[in-house]
Amino acid sequence: MTIHKEGYSFLIWTFLMLILLIIFSFFLFSKLLYSFIFMFLIIIFYSFLIFFFRNPKIDLQKINKEENVVISPADGKIIELKKVFEKEFLNKNCICVSIFMSLFDVHVNRYPVSGKVIYSKYHPGKYMVAWLSKSSLKNEHTTIVVNTKENKKILFRQIAGFLARRIVLYAKNNFFVKKGEEFGFIKFGSRIDIFIPENSIIKVKKGERVTGGITKISIIR
């Protein structure tokens, strides 16, 4: 377990500001006990920030042994599992699997399949709560499409939530990527939608918790 690179500068600046707040509290509060209580709360808050930016290690070699398996691109809970018509790029019926990431989930986003990135686009938008269906296209989001070795196109989206104010995207067009590698990060609550071929075998169900880079979402046929 390590700290994700997206957290380095944020944690450093936050640490400096919190140190100043602790020093200021000794002048603000008349009783020393109140200052220690305030300092204790600051430590809990900062510990949570470190916890949020955690980055678990996964075995890329192991998860890439099964080429036709789509893995979860993020930690979280399956909130939707339905057939939809994807009209931004694929222009066909798909199965959409939506994963909601709470503040307590790992927010690293990983490629669900291996292949070539053939589409990558950022869309500005609103910041509605991420579990609403309409947030998929109305909120700030990105769209990425990977074409697998079997010529199966898998589309997935990072979707900002009410608290998420920054989507980080690493995906670049025409780059070859491996399943489980990082393609982005979303800060403070968000959602991932993944669009799978309609004839795929789905391995998860609504309400189930999944782990990014580990849980099998589907098998492509």
Side-chain angles (χ1 to χ4, degrees), residues 74-105:
D75 284 19
K77 182 180 180 181
I78 305 292
I79 57 172
E80 279 189 335
L81 189 59
K82 62 182 181 181
K83 292 184 179 181
V84 298
F85 183 82
E86 200 296 306
K87 59 184 179 181
E88 180 180 348
F89 184 90
L90 301 177
N91 293 309
K92 64 178 182 179
N93 291 321
C94 304
I95 298 173
C96 177
V97 180
S98 298
I99 302 167
F100 176 72
M101 292 175 280
S102 74
L103 286 172
F104 300 98
D105 290 312

Side-chain angles (χ1 to χ4, degrees), residues 21-22 25-26 29 31-45:
L21 282 175
I22 290 173
S25 71
F26 284 97
F29 298 116
K31 293 185 178 181
L32 194 60
L33 177 61
Y34 294 158
S35 295
F36 282 113
I37 292 174
F38 180 74
M39 183 170 61
F40 177 71
L41 294 175
I42 289 291
I43 291 172
I44 292 176
F45 173 71

Side-chain angles (χ1 to χ4, degrees), residues 11-221:
L11 289 172
I12 290 172
W13 283 109
T14 303
F15 177 78
L16 294 175
M17 286 189 291
L18 293 179
I19 289 296
L20 291 175
L21 282 175
I22 290 173
I23 294 172
F24 180 70
S25 71
F26 284 97
F27 296 96
L28 178 66
F29 298 116
S30 57
K31 293 185 178 181
L32 194 60
L33 177 61
Y34 294 158
S35 295
F36 282 113
I37 292 174
F38 180 74
M39 183 170 61
F40 177 71
L41 294 175
I42 289 291
I43 291 172
I44 292 176
F45 173 71
Y46 194 73
S47 298
F48 168 76
L49 292 179
I50 294 174
F51 174 76
F52 177 85
F53 284 104
R54 68 198 185 280
N55 187 14
K57 297 297 181 182
I58 63 171
D59 189 341
L60 292 177
Q61 186 175 0
K62 181 179 179 180
I63 65 175
N64 277 279
K65 288 181 179 179
E66 299 176 291
E67 293 182 353
N68 62 334
V69 171
V70 178
I71 62 167
S72 177
D75 284 19
K77 182 180 180 181
I78 305 292
I79 57 172
E80 279 189 335
L81 189 59
K82 62 182 181 181
K83 292 184 179 181
V84 298
F85 183 82
E86 200 296 306
K87 59 184 179 181
E88 180 180 348
F89 184 90
L90 301 177
N91 293 309
K92 64 178 182 179
N93 291 321
C94 304
I95 298 173
C96 177
V97 180
S98 298
I99 302 167
F100 176 72
M101 292 175 280
S102 74
L103 286 172
F104 300 98
D105 290 312
V106 173
H107 274 57
V108 180
N109 302 149
R110 302 182 182 278
Y111 287 104
V113 292
S114 298
K116 182 180 180 180
V117 178
I118 59 173
Y119 183 78
S120 176
K121 188 174 182 180
Y122 167 79
H123 303 269
K126 300 179 180 180
Y127 297 97
M128 297 183 290
V129 288
W131 59 77
L132 295 177
S133 297
K134 59 184 178 181
S135 70
S136 179
L137 292 176
K138 290 190 176 182
N139 278 18
E140 177 189 8
H141 65 279
T142 66
T143 302
I144 307 98
V145 180
V146 172
N147 192 32
T148 69
K149 189 168 67 175
E150 294 77 24
N151 200 32
K152 301 289 185 180
K153 295 176 177 61
I154 307 298
L155 182 149
F156 40 100
R157 291 192 178 106
Q158 298 170 293
I159 304 166
F162 179 71
L163 293 176
R165 298 290 163 168
R166 188 185 174 202
I167 294 177
V168 182
L169 178 64
Y170 308 137
K172 295 181 179 180
N173 290 339
N174 301 317
F175 273 62
F176 288 89
V177 297
K178 285 186 178 181
K179 182 169 25 180
E181 290 180 337
E182 295 179 22
F183 74 83
F185 194 96
I186 314 180
K187 294 183 179 179
F188 304 113
S190 46
R191 167 176 166 172
I192 293 280
D193 284 355
I194 176 168
F195 295 79
I196 302 165
E198 197 175 17
N199 64 343
S200 301
I201 300 172
I202 303 300
K203 305 293 288 184
V204 293
K205 59 182 182 294
K206 187 175 180 180
E208 181 179 344
R209 290 200 58 81
V210 294
T211 303
I214 296 177
T215 304
K216 295 179 181 180
I217 295 292
S218 72
I219 298 174
I220 304 174
R221 295 191 290 187

